[in-house]
Amino acid sequence: MADDKKPLQAKAVSNGLPPPNLDLPYPDRPELITENLLKLTNLITDERKKYIFKNLITHIHQFINETSITTDEWMNTIQFLTRTGQICTPIRQEFILLSDVLGISALVDALNNPPVSGGTESSVLGPFFTEDAPDVNNGDSIASEGKGQYMYVEGRVIDTHGKPVPNALIETWETDEYGFYDTQYADRSKPDCRGRLRTDKDGRYGYRAVVPVAYPIPGDGPVGDLLLMLNRHNMRPNHLHMMIEAPGYQKLTTAFYPEGDEWLASDAVFGVKKSLVVTLKDVDNEQEARKRGFPKGSHFKLLEHDLVLVPEAESKAAREQYAREHAVNRSNEIQA
Ligand code: BEZ
Ligand code: FE
């Protein structure tokens, strides 16, 4: 066939990078695979990325070596990760769930938000925060009528020096009495059991809500299968999420866990910290209920809690100190 009759077919091309100028012996022995790959990380120009990849490769290869993982076991792992990816949508984030149940989300959160004396501790964000919470005023309800047992949440937003923080933005969300977030209802027409409010001039906040209940994290996907395989339950203890922002302060993402819940110590996603376990006061008083705007009855639970923000500079210093102290010899083993 003449050249000009050949079908138009582009030639396969590389990504444009040349063979590296590195001494890379043929990987005839297992350890040479690791060594060559570590040498290749020297091509990474960004020092932080280089450091992270060296660590990642070293630990993953060490894991494979130490466990002598079989071909079948590795294929099963790949298939599990494939299923995890396939079930993901913009609202079904199975990879985040995987990170949650493996304690990685909680660990990353803990390292990035080390405790600062007096500051309210952080907790995992979870997948149920939405951007569309309605603005509510202090004293308003974040839950529509019939969503659960009445609860009133009140306190102040202050800083670690006891100074009130006026006009701080509080986002809050919780389950209804059936253990579902509004986003889990297929017929959701508007947000419910969530709201956005601001502290008053004295840093005070207060809103009506419902007593949240314990609930299972999604169990109908590969992460649910994994938990069953590991003989682990998929429950979170009941909790109320809060996220607080104010200029000059470290943003706080946290949650409060009423005491007494049977799942507190074994939370499926490792979100509970001792300081976040709270007492709900039982109030049975018509006048107190009316004062807080409850439309009927006199009985409600009261969660009184001050939220303590950490100034940005203090938070940064704590993070840096924590990183220094917890770098536990790791950089001695793996040179950056
Ligand atoms: C949550 O608290 O909303 C949550 C956190 C992690 C995984 C699933 C749910
Ligand atoms: Fe939650």
Side-chain angles (χ1 to χ4, degrees), residues 124-129 173-175 181 213 215 217 236-241 255 257 269:
V124 288
L125 170 69
F128 296 115
F129 169 73
W173 66 105
E174 60 169 350
T175 63
Y181 287 92
V213 302
Y215 64 87
I217 60 169
R236 291 221 67 200
N238 67 341
H239 57 273
L240 172 77
H241 290 273
Y257 301 84
V269 302

Side-chain angles (χ1 to χ4, degrees), residues 83-326:
R83 288 197 303 279
T84 301
Q86 282 167 339
I87 202 176
C88 283
T89 69
I91 52 164
R92 176 73 191 249
Q93 294 283 354
E94 197 78 356
F95 270 114
I96 297 186
L97 207 57
L98 181 59
S99 151
D100 295 337
V101 302
L102 294 180
I104 298 170
S105 306
L107 188 56
V108 171
D109 178 53
L111 295 179
N112 282 278
N113 299 282
V116 171
S117 176
T120 299
E121 290 193 275
S122 63
S123 188
V124 288
L125 170 69
F128 296 115
F129 169 73
T130 66
E131 300 280 352
D132 67 351
D135 289 312
V136 297
N137 292 314
N138 277 301
D140 283 354
S141 181
I142 62 160
S144 60
E145 196 56 32
K147 279 290 168 183
Q149 190 191 351
Y150 291 154
M151 176 168 82
Y152 199 82
V153 190
E154 68 185 17
R156 285 176 315 155
V157 175
I158 54 176
D159 71 10
T160 42
H161 306 280
K163 197 172 119 208
V165 183
N167 207 34
L169 181 67
I170 301 177
E171 296 263 8
T172 181
W173 66 105
E174 60 169 350
T175 63
D176 61 18
E177 66 179 335
Y178 299 107
F180 291 113
Y181 287 92
D182 57 352
T183 50
Q184 293 176 290
Y185 289 101
D187 61 352
R188 178 190 198 253
S189 58
K190 61 178 175 52
D192 204 348
C193 294
R194 60 181 76 238
R196 186 188 298 121
L197 66 156
R198 287 195 179 264
T199 53
D200 71 12
K201 63 178 186 1
D202 302 316
R204 295 198 171 279
Y205 73 90
Y207 58 94
R208 279 176 282 140
V210 292
V211 177
V213 302
Y215 64 87
I217 60 169
D220 59 344
V223 172
D225 297 342
L226 176 72
L227 288 179
L228 283 176
M229 188 193 86
L230 300 176
N231 238 340
R232 278 176 55 190
H233 70 72
N234 66 338
M235 292 299 289
R236 291 221 67 200
N238 67 341
H239 57 273
L240 172 77
H241 290 273
M242 293 181 95
M243 199 155 77
I244 303 100
E245 259 180 289
Y249 294 99
Q250 176 72 15
K251 179 174 174 178
L252 173 65
T253 301
T254 191
F256 296 103
Y257 301 84
E259 64 190 355
D261 191 294
E262 63 176 316
W263 308 104
L264 272 178
S266 63
D267 179 9
V269 302
F270 309 93
V272 185
K273 291 172 179 159
K274 198 172 164 199
S275 71
L276 302 177
V277 177
V278 293
T279 305
L280 297 189
K281 255 196 223 162
D282 208 28
V283 183
D284 192 2
N285 180 308
E286 179 96 37
Q287 214 183 340
E288 290 295 320
R290 274 175 190 230
K291 196 170 92 186
R292 290 179 176 81
F294 288 113
K296 54 180 194 223
S298 57
H299 196 183
F300 67 96
K301 297 278 184 187
L302 179 62
L303 169 54
E304 292 172 295
H305 205 83
D306 283 349
L307 307 161
V308 186
L309 296 184
V310 181
E312 261 164 6
E314 275 177 41
S315 171
K316 184 163 179 275
R319 241 183 338 269
E320 285 168 359
Q321 190 186 345
Y322 202 77
R324 274 196 302 277
E325 286 171 6
H326 287 77

